[in-house]
């Protein structure tokens, strides 16, 4: 008789638009370029409830979701040189069952994995991957971003000058918070962000130099920004990208400017003024994002350790993987503001 392979618990979405349930499954073995990670903390993202609601992105069921991984390396696959068993790491997962976050052990791709510096907890580290990568791709992606030169390339990092304004709509969201921080690393100034008034301090702590209430109308915001800078607004990163926020960003853009979105566009590119709109996609696992992802993930440990990138504020969920189910409902209901929800898969009963 063959011995049963080691088992773990995972949160499965049983079928398309079905229910979540905890089940056992085998612990996978790392292939070339991969790591096996014991997941200590995983953060929730809007895409996780959207997949449950709409069936988007995932084609195989039962499916394990979750993108944000922080944990301990258990096993190192062939060809991986920069990680050892016992390292504390964060990683960007994907919606393939062996590589997804909502389970006790997952595989990670070493080039989208970084060591957690000693100043950070697993919980903090888990708030980084998807939000950070989406901000990153939207800013620096050549195919699905604004194509700004990234800070690690020559000419990509400048001292702040009053020449390069950027506006980030939704600065208290996870994506918005990382867009603010990357804008600072890239030398934009002023870095203008919107959110609800009670999140002003949070958004300024991420590096926004100017803050406006997100409830201002498009014309009120434009007027307020004109008092901050008379330079043309070349980039607006709309981290929220709802039909009500997109026209606000679009209306702020100068001729030839670019509006970066995290969802599908509802504004239409116009003739003559050269304004562009682009929908980004934050997964480094996508072929068009791989090179950018590899280069950025090589910087993640240093940026976190130096404080150039600060993780998000978080709230812990109880009940291990089971706690994710209610957490996703709270996110869907818009009850989570300026905070990541973080679960502990090892506490699953
Ligand atoms: N394309 C991709 O690959 C990709 C990747 C990641 C995320 N996304 C999408 O990007 C969006 C943001 O994701 P996230 O993880 O950053 O979300 P999140 O952190 O869960 O966003 C929560 C924040 O949204 C803000 N918000 C809600 N409605 C708003 C509005 N009308 N105007 C301005 N801010 C508003 C709230 O700000 P206040 O509380 O301050 O009002 C809240 O702090 C989601 O739709 C997500 O699905 C796409």
């Amino acid at each position: 008789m063959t011995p049963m392979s080691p088992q773990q618990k995972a949160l499965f979405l049983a079928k398309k638009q079905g229910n979540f349930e905890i089940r056992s499954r085998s612990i996978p073995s790392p292939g070339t370029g991969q790591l096996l990670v014991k997941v200590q903390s995983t953060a929730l993202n809007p895409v996780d409830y959207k997949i449950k609601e709409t069936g988007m992105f995932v084609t195989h069921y039962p499916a394990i979701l979750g993108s944000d991984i922080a944990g301990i390396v258990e096993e190192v696959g062939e060809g991986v040189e920069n990680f050892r068993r016992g390292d504390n790491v964060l990683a960007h997962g994907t919606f393939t069952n062996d590589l997804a976050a909502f389970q006790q052990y997952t595989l990670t791709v070493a080039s989208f994995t970084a060591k957690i510096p000693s100043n950070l907890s697993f919980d903090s580290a888990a708030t980084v991957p998807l939000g950070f990568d989406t901000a990153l791709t939207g800013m620096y992606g050549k195919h699905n971003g604004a194509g700004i030169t990234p800070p690690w390339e020559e000419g990509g990092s400048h001292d702040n000058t009053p020449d390069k304004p950027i506006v980030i709509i939704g600065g208290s969201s996870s994506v918005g918070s990382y867009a603010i921080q990357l804008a600072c690393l890239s030398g934009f100034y002023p870095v203008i962000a919107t959110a609800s008034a009670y999140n002003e301090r949070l958004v300024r702590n991420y590096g926004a130099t100017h803050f406006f209430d997100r409830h201002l109308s498009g014309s009120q915001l434009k007027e307020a920004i004109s008092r901050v800078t008379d330079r043309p607004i070349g980039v607006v990163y709309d981290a929220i990208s709802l039909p009500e926020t997109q026209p606000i960003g679009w209306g702020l853009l100068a001729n030839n400017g670019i509006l970066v979105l995290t969802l599908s566009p509802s504004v239409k590119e116009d003739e003559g003024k050269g304004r562009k709109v682009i929908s980004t996609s934050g997964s480094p696992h996508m072929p068009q994002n791989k090179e950018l992802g590899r280069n950025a993930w090589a910087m993640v440990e240093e940026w976190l350790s130096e404080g150039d990138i600060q993780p998000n504020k978080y709230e812990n969920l109880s009940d291990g993987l089971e706690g994710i189910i209610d957490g996703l409902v709270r996110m869907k209901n818009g009850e989570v503001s300026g905070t990541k929800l973080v679960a502990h898969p090892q506490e699953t009963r």
Side-chain angles (χ1 to χ4, degrees):
M1 223 171 66
T2 22
M4 208 168 95
S5 55
Q7 297 286 297
Q8 60 156 330
K9 298 219 168 90
L11 181 70
F12 280 96
L13 184 58
K15 57 179 188 181
K16 188 171 177 178
Q17 294 169 294
N19 290 324
F20 284 114
E21 48 194 60
I22 307 284
R23 294 188 195 169
S24 289
R25 77 182 296 253
S26 308
I27 296 178
S29 296
T32 305
Q34 295 182 330
L35 304 165
L36 173 67
V37 172
K38 181 176 184 181
V39 186
Q40 302 290 53
S41 302
T42 177
L44 283 55
N45 286 285
V47 70
D48 300 314
Y49 76 72
K50 291 179 186 181
I51 290 172
K52 179 183 178 338
E53 292 296 304
T54 66
M56 72 206 289
F57 295 140
V58 170
T59 47
H60 293 87
Y61 291 90
I64 306 175
L65 308 184
S67 307
D68 290 341
I69 298 160
I72 305 164
V73 175
E74 286 283 308
E75 217 180 308
V76 177
E78 236 176 83
V80 178
E81 288 178 353
N82 44 344
F83 295 98
R84 301 270 171 281
R85 184 181 153 86
D87 282 344
N88 292 349
V89 294
L90 69 158
H92 193 141
T94 189
F95 305 129
T96 305
N97 284 1
D98 284 350
L99 290 132
F102 295 166
Q103 54 190 332
Q104 293 178 313
Y105 292 84
T106 189
L107 301 182
T108 72
V109 173
S111 42
F112 310 135
T113 303
K115 287 184 192 145
I116 302 177
S118 56
N119 56 325
L120 282 193
S121 64
F122 289 119
D123 287 339
S124 281
T127 70
V128 175
L130 181 59
F132 168 77
D133 275 328
T134 309
L136 179 95
T137 317
M139 296 280 286
Y140 308 120
K142 292 210 166 46
H143 308 291
N144 56 4
I148 296 159
T149 305
W152 57 85
E153 280 181 22
E154 203 178 323
S157 179
H158 310 276
D159 292 335
N160 289 351
T161 61
D163 283 333
K164 278 206 309 180
I166 188 169
V167 176
I168 290 135
I169 295 180
S172 67
S173 69
S174 182
V175 175
S177 73
Y178 293 112
I180 291 171
Q181 299 183 70
L182 291 173
C184 293
L185 275 173
S186 287
F188 281 91
Y189 184 90
V191 177
I192 301 163
T194 68
S196 287
Y198 48 77
N199 280 323
E200 175 167 357
R201 183 190 288 199
L202 179 82
V203 170
R204 285 188 184 272
N205 280 344
Y206 286 129
T209 59
H210 296 79
F211 176 90
F212 295 106
D213 191 322
R214 75 167 171 90
H215 299 95
L216 294 182
S217 69
S219 54
Q220 287 171 325
L221 184 61
K222 194 166 185 164
E223 150 71 15
I225 289 175
S226 72
R227 279 185 260 119
V228 171
T229 178
D230 57 6
R231 306 293 304 172
I233 308 289
V235 186
V236 175
Y237 195 125
D238 180 357
I240 307 302
S241 299
L242 291 172
E244 60 263 31
T245 61
Q246 293 190 27
I248 296 178
W250 193 238
L252 295 173
L253 265 189
N255 294 355
N256 301 314
I258 185 158
L259 172 65
V260 180
L261 302 176
T262 54
L263 302 176
S264 305
S266 54
V267 294
K268 302 251 178 303
E269 286 186 356
D270 51 4
E271 300 292 322
K273 292 185 184 165
R275 291 180 295 180
K276 289 198 176 61
V277 57
I278 187 118
S279 276
T280 200
S281 48
S283 172
H285 299 272
M286 295 173 78
Q288 67 269 38
N289 292 345
K290 277 192 175 164
E291 190 190 341
L292 178 65
R294 272 196 291 269
N295 290 334
W297 275 85
M299 303 295 303
V300 163
E301 181 186 0
E302 183 185 322
W303 280 350
L304 289 173
S305 146
E306 301 286 319
D308 292 324
I309 296 291
Q310 295 173 54
N312 292 150
K313 218 170 67 165
Y314 63 86
E315 175 194 325
N316 281 136
L317 299 171
S318 51
D319 296 332
L321 292 165
E322 184 92 36
I324 292 172
I325 302 172
D326 273 352
L328 292 177
V329 173
R330 285 173 55 199
M331 290 186 83
K332 180 182 157 223
N333 292 341
E335 293 164 10
V336 182
S337 167
T339 305
K340 293 293 270 190
L341 300 181
V342 173
H344 294 156
Q346 304 304 322
E347 292 169 9
T348 310
R349 279 171 290 179

